Amino acid sequence: MPPFRLLSTPALERLVGRLLALRPGEPGVESLQHAIENLSMEALGRGGRAAGEALVESLVASGHTLTKVDALPCMWRVVLAPPRVLEIWSTGGDRPVVAALSYRSGRP
């Protein structure tokens, strides 16, 4: 297992847990969203697409259910009770250049 995953997985779980304790649009959501995106960008920078995918998929170990979204090759939706939607993705193929997150109310 790569060292990055060992160091970052707990950080991602904590950040997502804090994010999901808030409703979309509440104070604090934007800073948590940026922190998750920065962590994802760090993973991509250290290990490329494989590290980014491993980081997101590590959420399964903390009890989250993920579904792959066909809109992009590297896009996941964390299964939440409606109307909340949490999607995490990266773009750029095997050498991803952008990691992003959307946490909102509405339809997936």
Side-chain angles (χ1 to χ4, degrees):
M1 188 176 301
F4 180 81
R5 187 164 181 221
L6 290 174
L7 296 173
S8 299
T9 298
L12 180 63
E13 291 170 5
R14 281 192 302 276
L15 289 169
V16 168
R18 289 176 52 202
L19 179 70
L20 295 179
L22 301 172
R23 289 185 312 256
E26 282 189 325
V29 165
E30 189 173 335
S31 63
L32 288 167
Q33 187 170 330
H34 290 306
I36 293 167
E37 289 169 340
N38 288 336
L39 187 63
S40 298
M41 287 297 296
E42 184 181 340
L44 295 172
R46 288 187 179 186
R49 179 177 174 170
E53 289 178 341
L55 180 66
V56 173
E57 291 170 354
S58 72
L59 290 172
V60 172
S62 61
H64 296 286
T65 301
L66 301 175
T67 59
K68 279 290 262 175
V69 179
D70 292 336
L72 293 170
C74 296
M75 185 173 190
W76 300 265
R77 185 173 295 124
V78 178
V79 177
L80 301 174
R84 295 185 309 156
V85 177
L86 174 58
E87 295 169 332
I88 304 170
W89 68 91
S90 61
T91 63
D94 288 336
R95 298 181 148 250
V97 294
V98 174
L101 176 141
S102 174
Y103 181 55
R104 64 188 187 283
S105 291
R107 298 180 68 197

